[in-house]
Amino acid sequence: MQEMIKAEQAFQAMNRLGKARVPFLFAFNFDLTQAFIVEHPERQQEILYKTPLGTNCPIQEQELRSKAPELTTSPITYENYLKRFEVIRKGQLDGDTFLANLTVETPIKTHLSLEEIYAYSQAKYKLLVPGNFVSFSPESFVKIDLSSSRIETRPMKGTINADLPQAEEKILNDPKEKAEHYTIVDLLRSDLARIATHIAVERFRYIDKLTTNKGGLLQVSSLITGQLPKESASQLGDIFRQLLPAGSISGAPKPATIRLIHKAEKESRGFYSGVFGLFDGKIVDSGVLIRFIAQKGSQMYYHSGGGITIHSDPQSEYREVLDQIYIPT
């Protein structure tokens, strides 16, 4: 098992390694109480990863095509979900938050190991920490190109079953989904403005389609960019310190919302909804640790959630949480 360190130690290591242009893999948990750094990650095969910058995975996905991914779930009851939802709703009525990401962990049973789930799943960002968790995430966090000093983030908010009639029109015109996405874009613009200039929304509410073991999904994202100072190589840790935790899986305003999330959820998220990324010496590319299965002893748990606004319907939000329990194929 990779040695865990404090988040502050990881931030400092990122500054040092970035300045020296040494490649590294990194990850932070949601509460910023744990992190890990792996120098020259391509030289080890304990922690497996895949990002648009590269992978060290020796497993070929096609080896497992005969083992269709099957999940049996024991989801939280609607009554228990509603108790959590009402904590968030009271916070919204009190003015503490206007968008909060509420999550749950669902016990699951599957014939696949964490390693097999990693190999089978298809995703932009994948991370396997053996005996601990696997994540197969479609959501980018931030990308930093040191040659151009450009930073970008792609918040993802809004999911719908692609098989529904006029699914794209429905998701783009749904008032609740629009409000949620506007809020996250504003929050991420504000976050980037702490460390960058020339903030711009280059693409707004574009659609990605995912194929899963349950069928197709449409997800809505935006692209926000900014310009970093030229000396950013030695400030990579400082940049992530300013941006974490990710706004798309916390909410706004961020500090008060995180306190409310802890009150509603009770259990720790661990590395679920944290971030991980790869630095290749020139570019940092990171993803949000969603689509996440944790292993605790012999039991596996699938973590999922959704954004709650004052317009949210608890039954719809409950269904969305359950719909997110899938393996992308």
Side-chain angles (χ1 to χ4, degrees), residues 151 190-197 227-229 238-239 242-243:
I151 184 170
S190 177
D191 279 355
L192 285 192
R194 298 180 185 179
I195 45 91
T197 58
Q227 198 70 21
L228 292 168
D238 298 334
I239 290 169
Q242 289 288 322
L243 297 178

Side-chain angles (χ1 to χ4, degrees), residues 6-281:
K6 295 181 179 179
E8 186 55 38
Q9 293 175 287
F11 292 137
Q12 293 175 12
M14 291 174 72
N15 287 342
R16 172 176 55 81
L17 296 172
K19 182 177 182 179
R21 302 299 180 108
V22 174
F24 61 87
L25 178 76
F26 66 94
F28 293 88
N29 71 353
F30 175 70
D31 288 329
L32 299 180
T33 56
Q34 284 189 313
F36 64 78
I37 297 280
V38 181
E39 296 183 31
H40 295 289
E42 72 283 355
R43 299 176 184 175
Q44 57 84 47
Q45 292 183 346
E46 177 191 7
I47 295 178
L48 301 183
Y49 64 86
K50 174 190 173 186
T51 80
L53 293 182
T55 179
N56 72 334
C57 181
I59 303 174
Q60 298 298 316
E61 285 89 346
Q62 58 265 29
E63 293 176 7
L64 296 175
R65 283 291 173 252
S66 62
K67 299 178 73 172
E70 296 178 1
L71 300 178
T72 302
T73 66
S74 302
I76 186 174
T77 65
Y78 175 68
E79 290 73 22
N80 285 332
Y81 176 82
L82 186 59
K83 292 177 182 177
R84 299 184 180 208
F85 181 93
E86 288 175 343
V87 173
I88 301 298
R89 175 54 52 84
K90 183 179 184 303
Q92 291 173 334
L93 293 174
D94 291 342
D96 296 329
T97 181
F98 43 91
L99 173 62
N101 190 263
L102 179 62
T103 74
V104 301
E105 60 176 24
T106 300
I108 64 169
K109 292 182 179 180
T110 177
H111 61 291
L112 300 177
S113 66
L114 292 183
E115 288 77 10
E116 289 172 325
I117 292 170
Y118 178 93
Y120 200 101
S121 61
Q122 299 288 308
K124 187 175 182 180
Y125 299 91
K126 299 203 297 183
L127 183 65
L128 169 69
V129 180
N132 195 321
F133 68 82
V134 62
S135 176
F136 32 91
S137 174
E139 183 170 359
S140 300
F141 180 48
V142 295
K143 180 180 179 181
I144 298 171
D145 187 336
L146 294 177
S147 64
S148 61
S149 299
R150 173 186 163 100
I151 184 170
E152 65 178 48
T153 185
R154 296 175 183 264
M156 180 180 289
K157 277 296 173 187
T159 304
I160 192 171
N161 185 333
D163 298 326
L164 292 176
Q166 299 178 310
E168 182 171 340
E169 182 180 346
K170 286 181 179 178
I171 191 70
L172 291 177
N173 291 309
D174 183 281
K176 181 264 178 181
E177 298 290 353
K178 289 172 68 174
E180 184 179 347
H181 201 96
Y182 273 79
T183 299
I184 285 301
V185 168
D186 282 344
L187 174 61
L188 269 294
R189 288 174 61 209
S190 177
D191 279 355
L192 285 192
R194 298 180 185 179
I195 45 91
T197 58
H198 300 91
I199 309 301
V201 180
E202 294 193 3
R203 296 180 68 190
F204 185 63
R205 301 191 77 213
Y206 63 89
I207 297 287
D208 286 320
K209 184 172 183 179
L210 302 178
T211 302
T212 80
N213 63 312
K214 289 184 175 181
L217 289 177
L218 301 184
Q219 297 193 306
V220 186
S221 299
S222 289
L223 169 62
I224 310 166
T225 64
Q227 198 70 21
L228 292 168
K230 292 186 182 298
E231 64 273 15
S232 295
S234 62
Q235 298 175 352
L236 295 180
D238 298 334
I239 290 169
F240 275 81
R241 185 192 292 110
Q242 289 288 322
L243 297 178
L244 292 175
S248 64
I249 42 72
S250 52
K254 196 183 290 186
T257 300
I258 291 173
R259 289 193 293 270
L260 198 62
I261 284 171
H262 287 152
K263 183 178 180 181
E265 294 181 356
K266 295 183 173 61
E267 70 260 15
S268 170
R269 291 186 181 183
F271 275 86
Y272 168 60
S273 69
V275 304
F276 90 99
L278 182 67
F279 175 56
D280 68 358

